[in-house]
Amino acid sequence: MTRKITIEPVTRVEGHGKVTIHMDHQGNIQQTRLHIVEFRGFERFVQGRPYWEAPVLVQRLCGICPVSHHLAAAKALDVIVGAGTGEGLTATGEKMRRLMHYGQFFQSHALHFFHLSAPDFLFGFDGDPAIRNIIGIALTKPDLAVQGVMMRKFGQEIIRATAGKKIHGTGAIPGGINKNLSIEERDEFLKGADPLNADKMVSWAQDALEFFKYYYSANKEMIDGFAHFPSNHLSLVRKDGALDLYHGVLRAVDTDGKKILHDIDYQEYTNYIEEEVRSWSYMKFPYLKSIGKENGWYRVGPLARLNTIDFIPTPLAQKEFEIYKALTNGKPNNYCLHTHYARLIETLHAAEMIRELLNDPDLLGNELVTKGTKQKEGVGLVEAPRGTLFHHYRINDNDQIEMANLIVSTTNNNEPMNRSVNHVAKAIMTGKEIITEGMMNSVEVAIRAYDPCLSCATHALGKMPLEISLYDQDNNLLDKKRS
């Protein structure tokens, strides 16, 4: 007898999704799919709006990572207003944006690790779901819970100071920023009472990393064997190969570390990246044109970033990066759960960068905006916490947006997430008559490693499909219509 297992909803992620697993009569896994079941369509919503509204409009995609969309859109519009392709802003404008961005990284990574992923590590993948959550951590590990909450609070306060609000701020505008940092704000972040100061955040980021390293040393076989498969990796890198989460060139490497995308100008991304649509998901499937649909897919996010870069330009994170790279003898790391390790190294880097920027007098400057010769089209990229984020806009003669294309971090990870689901399902469910809650949660653990933002990633290419099914009282299908 064939069986269909449905996991709905996928829990402890942003947005709504479900997993279907089909097994044959012998208990073999025949098909697995991660379905994105909601549609947002912001690429259509923004058409016809004045271009300067985009940085504020598009961040409504998400309440978790609005800063990423805010900045990617602003960077695209920098091109349109003639402020350059990432290096033409004033020192104050660029550094305020960077501070905002690193505040976003710090709070988002803290939220994901402490609130969404740590319950699986502390209580086990098959632990009691009644305590396998942030409430369980608060009850059993209150110090750890407080640390997670306060780290997120600090990052959110950085965002408030740079963007005007903690969520859906207005700080970044085409060509720059609309405020600087006051001396009082700076000193509060640098010298505030414990724990809400930059030094304490660096220390706590180190503690969180040590927590995971200890867990890894005790569970190495399980972590290394969980959803381990070869893939390509893509991210922004600074022109000298350093980790840069705000600006850079596009680089991709294959599973052996060979460059397959050679530090290209991201304004030309359409020459290198294509998107495929599949009937069973509202999320697109990007791939590298030069390799093709079958093998050209890639991962983005913390794991990918630490596979594409050459070094991290802050000392504490660089030291941890060297230890991390030694685990795979310098080769790309394809272990799914090592994404958490990479994420915590980035958390430490973000804390170091926040401290460094807060000590930079340029944040107090008054030259905020740059403008030049207007262009009709622009592309903006940033590394969002979840991975590389593309915003692409074209405007008409009335300054209205006539085309928008977003390739969101989670969209880039669509194929890798589906492969992770398949890998785990085959490893733990094959031949099993009874499928336990713990087995299903293990599939979710694989998805959660990517920290997906599912509502960010739901868009359509071409005509939006609409299907209406009519059933009678006995659940018999009477009619079906599709647009």
Side-chain angles (χ1 to χ4, degrees), residues 204-421:
W204 270 359
Q206 290 178 292
D207 291 345
L209 189 51
E210 289 303 317
F211 170 84
F212 185 83
K213 288 163 67 177
Y214 175 80
Y215 180 88
Y216 175 58
S217 67
N219 298 274
K220 185 177 186 302
E221 184 177 350
M222 181 276 290
I223 290 177
D224 289 353
F226 188 94
H228 173 216
F229 54 88
S231 72
N232 305 314
H233 303 269
L234 178 142
S235 81
L236 285 175
V237 301
R238 204 167 71 186
K239 287 182 179 179
D240 61 358
L243 177 66
D244 192 328
L245 303 174
Y246 175 76
H247 187 61
V249 291
L250 267 179
R251 176 185 293 181
V253 300
D254 66 14
T255 192
D256 297 316
K258 177 184 175 183
K259 284 187 185 180
I260 52 177
L261 201 58
H262 294 263
D263 297 3
I264 66 156
D265 180 354
Y266 62 68
Q267 297 297 319
E268 302 172 358
Y269 81 98
T270 55
N271 295 331
Y272 303 93
I273 295 173
E274 194 89 75
E275 297 173 89
E276 179 189 5
V277 174
R278 299 179 190 174
S279 62
W280 45 270
S281 178
Y282 283 129
M283 192 155 65
K284 295 176 284 189
F285 289 80
Y287 61 91
L288 296 174
K289 287 183 178 182
S290 61
I291 302 176
K293 295 179 184 178
E294 176 134 6
N295 297 310
W297 56 275
Y298 51 83
R299 291 191 236 207
V300 299
L303 190 76
R305 286 188 285 258
L306 297 201
N307 283 330
T308 58
I309 64 167
D310 298 324
F311 67 98
I312 298 177
T314 53
L316 298 176
Q318 171 62 19
K319 181 179 178 181
E320 296 295 342
F321 176 63
E322 292 168 5
I323 296 170
Y324 171 87
K325 290 293 284 187
L327 296 173
T328 53
N329 297 315
K331 294 289 187 180
N333 187 324
N334 291 302
Y335 299 111
C336 180
L337 291 186
H338 283 227
T339 306
H340 299 292
Y341 194 163
R343 184 173 289 114
L344 290 169
I345 292 174
E346 288 188 341
T347 305
L348 176 58
H349 169 62
E352 289 185 279
M353 284 301 303
I354 289 169
R355 183 168 63 182
E356 179 180 316
L357 284 164
L358 287 170
N359 282 290
D360 192 322
D362 283 338
L363 291 179
L364 309 177
N366 293 312
E367 294 183 12
L368 307 182
V369 179
T370 300
K371 288 188 179 180
T373 303
K374 186 183 291 184
Q375 311 292 321
K376 286 294 183 70
E377 196 165 351
V379 179
L381 261 68
V382 296
E383 284 296 323
R386 291 146 189 85
T388 315
L389 171 63
F390 299 68
H391 277 233
H392 181 185
Y393 303 98
R394 185 171 63 245
I395 66 171
N396 61 23
D397 292 336
N398 296 318
D399 288 342
Q400 296 168 307
I401 296 170
E402 66 176 18
M403 185 282 296
N405 185 50
L406 313 181
I407 308 180
V408 178
S409 313
T410 299
T411 304
N412 284 307
N413 275 329
N414 198 357
E415 182 65 25
M417 287 193 296
N418 272 279
R419 293 195 178 226
S420 296
V421 166

Side-chain angles (χ1 to χ4, degrees), residues 24-43:
D24 65 18
H25 64 281
Q26 294 178 323
N28 297 310
I29 305 297
Q30 294 292 97
Q31 181 191 82
T32 61
R33 283 176 173 171
L34 169 61
H35 303 264
I36 308 307
V37 297
E38 61 180 345
F39 177 75
R40 302 293 297 283
F42 268 73
E43 290 163 322

Side-chain angles (χ1 to χ4, degrees), residues 150-172:
M150 297 306 287
M151 287 174 70
R152 183 160 192 259
K153 177 178 174 63
F154 184 82
Q156 290 286 74
E157 290 298 327
I158 291 284
I159 294 169
R160 179 195 55 75
T162 52
K165 294 193 297 182
K166 295 178 184 178
I167 299 175
H168 300 151
T170 60

